[in-house]
Structures are given as C-alpha cells and as structure tokens.
Amino acid sequence: TQLLEQSPQFLSIQEGENLTVYCNSSSVFSSLQWYRQEPGEGPVLLVTVVTGGEVKKLKRLTFQFGDARKDSSLHITAAQPGDTGLYLCAGERGSQGNLIFGKGTKLSVKP
Amino acid sequence: ETGVTQTPRHLVMGMTNKKSLKCEQHLGHNAMYWYKQSAKKPLELMFVYSLEERVENNSVPSRFSPECPNSSHLFLHLHTLQPEDSALYLCASSPGGSGTDTQYFGPGTRLTVL
C-alpha cells in the first residue's frame, strides 16, 4: 500500500498553460515537501509546508497543504519548458523525520 | 551543484562482483542518507546516519552494507547483488535529522546489475 499517491502520473502540456498536480494520503504528516527532479540529477527541494491549510507561493508555483495535513497540491501558472521534470511530494513521518515519497508526476512542457 | 557529490555516476556489475558507491558532502551537515529510486516505485529510504551513527535501516537486505567513516563521507558497499537491485542510488545530506530540514541530494549513481 502506497502511503502517498501522486496524480496524474504523467502530464504533457503546451507552454503557457496552467496545471495542478496532487499528492494524497490517508495518513497525517507533520510536514510535506515538494521536490523537482531533472534527468540525471537528484531531487531539489522546492518548498516545505507545515501548517494545515497553508499556502506558499514560489514565483509561478503555488503549494497548498490540506487542512487535515493529509494532502497537498501544486499549481503552476503559465508553465514554461524549464518547468519540465519529475515533481515529487514527500511526507515527514516519525520522530526521526524520515520522509515517505510519492512516485511523482512527470511533467513535460512543450514550447 | 548542491554540494553533494557521488561517484561513480554509472556502474555496471555482475551478480558476483563487489563494488562500493561513494558520497561526499561539502556542506557541514550532520545527517546523511541513502535512497533507492527504481523506475516504478517511490523513492525508498535505505539508511540514515546522524553524527556518523546509523539511526535507521529500513529492512534493507544485507547485500547492501553502509559505512560512514566521518560526517562528510558515506559509502554503500555492494556484494552479490540481484538484477532487481538495478536502480538509481541517491545520497542526501541535511543539517540535522529533522524531516523539516532541507535534504540536499547528490546526482545519484545509476547501477545496472547483469
């Protein structure tokens, strides 16, 4: 049983379009992180959300943590080819702070 | 460049070989991690070291053996691997062991077991 479900698995859009990807769980996490991973590289942290209902903005990216701290979404406005990559969400579990990752959403933005 | 380097970047080995993966962090962090990233599975945490002590071992088979000689270096020793162990092995470091700490990942070692 996967703890964190990400959807969609794949997304291919044209430059300038908006999109939302989701990260859902039946478990409560004390914090949730979003990463972007480009081919041949390791994941790079985009944001950490901690409080239920929290919304964080990073330029054209908007991250929301669900009120119950079980789910999160990432919205990208006016996508650019440079946004192409694998978007991973990861929830913090346990006192050691170990992260549980979703399988990711592979985003392709075509010029 | 995240300050975490991994060598080699690519490795092909037979099932009877013994090899080691190396990770080095130049960030002064206290915690280091090994993850496995397979094509159809989520990123899986394998081992966590905090201040050179192993604090987590997620039921990883004994054919994977980690070593952390100091807070800047982390190794993963491999022996008698199986083809299903082929994956991208990622190393990460963080200032401490808290989940809200930012983890900085290396570029990974792409391992193929024949």
Side-chain angles (χ1 to χ4, degrees):
Chain A
T1 303
Q2 191 178 330
L3 282 179
L4 277 170
E5 298 275 352
Q6 288 192 246
S7 61
Q9 200 173 345
F10 300 97
L11 187 57
S12 181
I13 61 171
Q14 293 296 129
E15 182 176 1
E17 291 184 23
N18 300 333
L19 65 114
T20 302
V21 298
Y22 300 93
C23 175
N24 295 306
S25 176
S26 56
S27 301
V28 176
F29 293 98
S30 50
S31 70
L32 197 137
Q33 300 180 352
W34 283 93
Y35 291 80
R36 180 169 67 220
Q37 184 177 17
E38 298 184 23
E41 300 295 333
V44 176
L45 181 69
L46 297 173
V47 78
T48 301
V49 286
V50 180
T51 307
E54 184 176 3
V55 176
K56 279 193 174 178
K57 291 194 175 184
L58 186 67
K59 296 183 182 177
R60 293 176 293 100
L61 278 60
T62 302
F63 303 86
Q64 186 160 7
F65 201 13
D67 291 341
R69 306 206 318 275
K70 293 183 180 180
D71 52 79
S72 182
S73 63
L74 159 59
H75 181 80
I76 302 179
T77 304
Q80 306 288 314
D83 296 326
T84 292
L86 178 68
Y87 287 81
L88 296 162
C89 68
E92 179 190 359
R93 182 186 70 166
S95 59
Q96 294 291 343
N98 295 335
L99 295 176
I100 305 296
F101 281 82
K103 287 188 183 180
T105 293
K106 195 166 186 178
L107 172 65
S108 173
V109 182
K110 301 187 188 314
Chain B
E1 179 64 44
T2 63
V4 180
T5 58
Q6 290 188 243
T7 54
R9 294 293 307 273
H10 300 272
L11 178 62
V12 179
M13 59 187 288
M15 289 191 285
T16 57
N17 291 158
K18 287 185 181 181
K19 296 285 184 184
S20 295
L21 310 185
K22 179 182 176 182
C23 175
E24 184 173 359
Q25 58 98 358
H26 314 274
L27 301 168
H29 289 167
N30 291 322
M32 295 187 78
Y33 310 76
W34 279 118
Y35 287 89
K36 176 183 178 183
Q37 188 173 34
S38 306
K40 296 186 179 179
K41 289 184 178 181
L43 230 158
E44 300 170 77
L45 178 65
M46 299 174 72
F47 300 104
V48 181
Y49 277 83
S50 180
L51 296 172
E52 299 147 49
E53 279 193 32
R54 191 191 306 181
V55 296
E56 183 85 14
N57 175 357
N58 272 356
S59 304
V60 179
S62 60
R63 57 185 184 270
F64 295 92
S65 174
E67 179 190 0
C68 188
N70 56 62
S71 60
S72 299
H73 294 86
L74 186 64
F75 294 89
L76 188 62
H77 304 298
L78 317 170
H79 63 99
T80 57
L81 293 193
Q82 305 297 311
E84 60 264 29
D85 296 322
S86 298
L88 181 68
Y89 288 85
L90 290 160
C91 172
S93 71
S94 67
S98 166
T100 53
D101 279 354
T102 299
Q103 289 191 21
Y104 294 82
F105 284 83
T109 295
R110 173 69 62 185
L111 174 67
T112 302
V113 182
L114 301 177

